[in-house]
Amino acid sequence: MRIFLKNTSSERLSAAFMLLNKYDSNLALSWFEDANLSISELFVDGQISLLMLLINQQCWDQALTEVNQLIQEDLLSTSTLKYFTALILSVVCRLQNQPGSQLLAGVPILVRNFPFKSDIDSISLRKRAVCLFRTAANDLEGNDLESVRKSSV
Protein backbone atom coordinates (compact mmCIF):
# COMPACT_ATOMS: atom_id res chain seq x y z
CA MET A 1 0.00 0.00 0.00
CA ARG A 2 2.92 2.34 0.71
CA ILE A 3 3.81 2.09 -3.01
CA PHE A 4 0.42 3.57 -3.85
CA LEU A 5 0.87 6.50 -1.53
CA LYS A 6 2.55 9.26 -3.49
CA ASN A 7 4.50 11.77 -1.44
CA THR A 8 4.05 9.84 1.77
CA SER A 9 3.50 12.00 4.78
CA SER A 10 2.68 11.13 8.34
CA GLU A 11 -0.92 12.17 7.71
CA ARG A 12 -1.26 9.92 4.63
CA LEU A 13 0.38 6.96 6.33
CA SER A 14 -1.92 7.43 9.32
CA ALA A 15 -4.97 7.65 7.10
CA ALA A 16 -3.97 4.46 5.27
CA PHE A 17 -3.38 2.64 8.56
CA MET A 18 -6.66 3.83 10.06
CA LEU A 19 -8.62 2.83 6.94
CA LEU A 20 -7.09 -0.63 6.99
CA ASN A 21 -7.72 -0.86 10.72
CA LYS A 22 -11.39 -0.02 10.19
CA TYR A 23 -11.63 -2.82 7.61
CA ASP A 24 -9.47 -5.46 9.34
CA SER A 25 -7.23 -4.84 12.35
CA ASN A 26 -5.00 -7.83 11.57
CA LEU A 27 -4.48 -6.56 8.04
CA ALA A 28 -3.63 -3.09 9.34
CA LEU A 29 -1.05 -4.47 11.76
CA SER A 30 0.46 -6.72 9.08
CA TRP A 31 0.70 -3.76 6.68
CA PHE A 32 2.34 -1.62 9.37
CA GLU A 33 4.91 -4.33 10.09
CA ASP A 34 5.49 -5.33 6.43
CA ALA A 35 6.01 -1.70 5.44
CA ASN A 36 8.68 -1.41 8.15
CA LEU A 37 6.97 1.63 9.58
CA SER A 38 7.70 3.18 12.93
CA ILE A 39 5.11 4.82 15.14
CA SER A 40 7.09 8.05 14.82
CA GLU A 41 6.32 8.06 11.07
CA LEU A 42 2.59 8.32 11.80
CA PHE A 43 0.61 11.46 12.57
CA VAL A 44 -0.79 11.58 16.11
CA ASP A 45 -4.16 10.11 15.03
CA GLY A 46 -2.39 7.12 13.53
CA GLN A 47 -0.18 6.79 16.60
CA ILE A 48 -3.22 6.63 18.86
CA SER A 49 -4.96 4.21 16.50
CA LEU A 50 -1.90 1.93 16.49
CA LEU A 51 -1.60 1.96 20.28
CA MET A 52 -5.32 1.24 20.67
CA LEU A 53 -5.00 -1.69 18.26
CA LEU A 54 -2.02 -3.11 20.16
CA ILE A 55 -3.89 -2.71 23.46
CA ASN A 56 -7.01 -4.40 22.09
CA GLN A 57 -4.96 -7.30 20.74
CA GLN A 58 -2.89 -7.36 23.96
CA CYS A 59 0.39 -7.18 22.03
CA TRP A 60 2.19 -5.71 25.05
CA ASP A 61 5.79 -6.26 23.94
CA GLN A 62 5.17 -4.63 20.58
CA ALA A 63 3.23 -1.84 22.28
CA LEU A 64 6.18 -1.15 24.58
CA THR A 65 8.54 -1.09 21.58
CA GLU A 66 6.33 1.45 19.82
CA VAL A 67 5.90 3.58 22.96
CA ASN A 68 9.66 3.69 23.44
CA GLN A 69 10.00 5.09 19.91
CA LEU A 70 7.77 8.05 20.67
CA ILE A 71 9.67 11.25 21.22
CA GLN A 72 8.78 13.87 23.81
CA GLU A 73 7.25 16.16 21.17
CA ASP A 74 4.83 13.37 20.20
CA LEU A 75 3.72 12.93 23.79
CA LEU A 76 3.28 16.65 24.32
CA SER A 77 0.89 16.92 21.39
CA THR A 78 -2.14 15.25 22.96
CA SER A 79 -3.45 14.04 26.30
CA THR A 80 -4.88 10.93 24.63
CA LEU A 81 -1.44 9.81 23.47
CA LYS A 82 -0.07 10.39 26.97
CA TYR A 83 -2.90 8.32 28.47
CA PHE A 84 -2.49 5.31 26.15
CA THR A 85 1.30 5.43 26.56
CA ALA A 86 0.92 5.43 30.35
CA LEU A 87 -1.59 2.60 30.15
CA ILE A 88 0.83 0.46 28.12
CA LEU A 89 3.69 1.21 30.50
CA SER A 90 1.47 0.21 33.43
CA VAL A 91 0.50 -3.10 31.86
CA VAL A 92 4.05 -4.00 30.88
CA CYS A 93 5.34 -3.58 34.45
CA ARG A 94 2.77 -6.05 35.84
CA LEU A 95 3.59 -9.53 37.03
CA GLN A 96 4.09 -11.86 34.09
CA ASN A 97 1.39 -14.25 35.21
CA GLN A 98 -1.22 -11.48 35.46
CA PRO A 99 -3.35 -10.82 32.38
CA GLY A 100 -3.15 -7.30 30.99
CA SER A 101 -6.93 -7.17 30.67
CA GLN A 102 -7.14 -7.05 34.46
CA LEU A 103 -5.38 -3.69 34.47
CA LEU A 104 -7.56 -2.33 31.68
CA ALA A 105 -10.59 -2.65 33.95
CA GLY A 106 -9.75 0.70 35.49
CA VAL A 107 -7.34 3.17 36.95
CA PRO A 108 -6.30 3.77 39.71
CA ILE A 109 -4.83 0.39 40.45
CA LEU A 110 -4.56 -0.79 44.03
CA VAL A 111 -1.37 -2.69 44.78
CA ARG A 112 -3.16 -5.29 46.89
CA ASN A 113 -5.39 -6.13 43.91
CA PHE A 114 -2.71 -5.91 41.27
CA PRO A 115 0.85 -6.69 42.36
CA PHE A 116 3.52 -5.17 40.11
CA LYS A 117 6.98 -6.49 39.37
CA SER A 118 9.64 -4.89 41.55
CA ASP A 119 12.70 -5.07 39.30
CA ILE A 120 14.46 -1.84 38.30
CA ASP A 121 13.07 -1.78 34.75
CA SER A 122 9.48 -2.27 35.93
CA ILE A 123 9.82 0.45 38.55
CA SER A 124 11.20 2.80 35.89
CA LEU A 125 8.26 2.00 33.58
CA ARG A 126 5.81 2.54 36.43
CA LYS A 127 7.36 5.94 37.26
CA ARG A 128 7.06 6.98 33.59
CA ALA A 129 3.44 5.83 33.58
CA VAL A 130 2.58 7.79 36.73
CA CYS A 131 4.20 10.92 35.29
CA LEU A 132 2.24 10.58 32.04
CA PHE A 133 -1.06 9.89 33.84
CA ARG A 134 -0.48 13.02 35.94
CA THR A 135 0.34 15.25 32.98
CA ALA A 136 -2.66 13.91 31.05
CA ALA A 137 -4.88 14.68 34.04
CA ASN A 138 -3.33 18.15 34.38
CA ASP A 139 -3.95 18.79 30.68
CA LEU A 140 -7.64 18.07 31.22
CA GLU A 141 -7.93 20.08 34.43
CA GLY A 142 -10.35 22.92 34.04
CA ASN A 143 -11.97 21.45 30.93
CA ASP A 144 -15.68 20.96 31.07
CA LEU A 145 -15.65 17.34 29.94
CA GLU A 146 -19.40 16.95 30.43
CA SER A 147 -20.11 19.68 27.87
CA VAL A 148 -17.63 18.06 25.46
CA ARG A 149 -19.41 14.73 25.87
CA LYS A 150 -22.84 16.29 25.29
CA SER A 151 -21.68 18.19 22.20
CA SER A 152 -20.28 15.04 20.62
CA VAL A 153 -23.56 13.14 20.94
Side-chain angles (χ1 to χ4, degrees):
M1 185 169 211
R2 192 173 191 174
I3 297 170
F4 299 114
L5 294 172
K6 294 181 182 176
N7 302 321
T8 56
S9 66
S10 61
E11 292 86 356
R12 287 178 183 225
L13 291 172
S14 292
F17 176 78
M18 290 166 40
L19 284 170
L20 286 173
N21 192 25
K22 181 76 172 163
Y23 172 70
D24 181 344
S25 59
N26 292 323
L27 179 64
L29 192 53
S30 292
W31 173 75
F32 179 80
E33 292 168 348
D34 292 345
N36 258 349
L37 291 175
S38 163
I39 193 169
S40 60
E41 294 179 75
L42 299 175
F43 188 65
V44 68
D45 294 335
Q47 292 173 341
I48 293 168
S49 182
L50 174 62
L51 293 181
M52 288 175 56
L53 170 63
L54 295 172
I55 289 169
N56 288 335
Q57 292 192 358
Q58 296 190 17
C59 299
W60 304 116
D61 292 334
Q62 185 175 357
L64 180 61
T65 299
E66 298 302 336
V67 160
N68 284 333
Q69 292 180 28
L70 291 173
I71 56 175
Q72 192 62 28
E73 290 80 33
D74 293 329
L75 292 174
L76 293 175
S77 64
T78 174
S79 299
T80 307
L81 193 56
K82 289 177 193 173
Y83 175 80
F84 284 119
T85 299
L87 189 62
I88 288 166
L89 293 172
S90 297
V91 171
V92 171
C93 68
R94 75 196 190 290
L95 287 175
Q96 287 187 341
N97 61 350
Q98 297 286 330
S101 57
Q102 203 176 43
L103 180 62
L104 298 177
V107 174
I109 294 91
L110 300 175
V111 172
R112 68 177 178 267
N113 297 336
F114 193 86
F116 289 101
K117 294 181 197 176
S118 59
D119 60 280
I120 292 172
D121 291 336
S122 296
I123 291 170
S124 175
L125 291 173
R126 197 162 53 246
K127 285 180 180 179
R128 283 176 56 199
V130 167
C131 180
L132 288 168
F133 277 131
R134 284 186 179 145
T135 57
N138 289 340
D139 290 348
L140 297 174
E141 191 174 308
N143 289 332
D144 184 2
L145 298 179
E146 184 62 25
S147 66
V148 171
R149 185 188 66 79
K150 287 180 182 176
S151 67
S152 66
V153 174

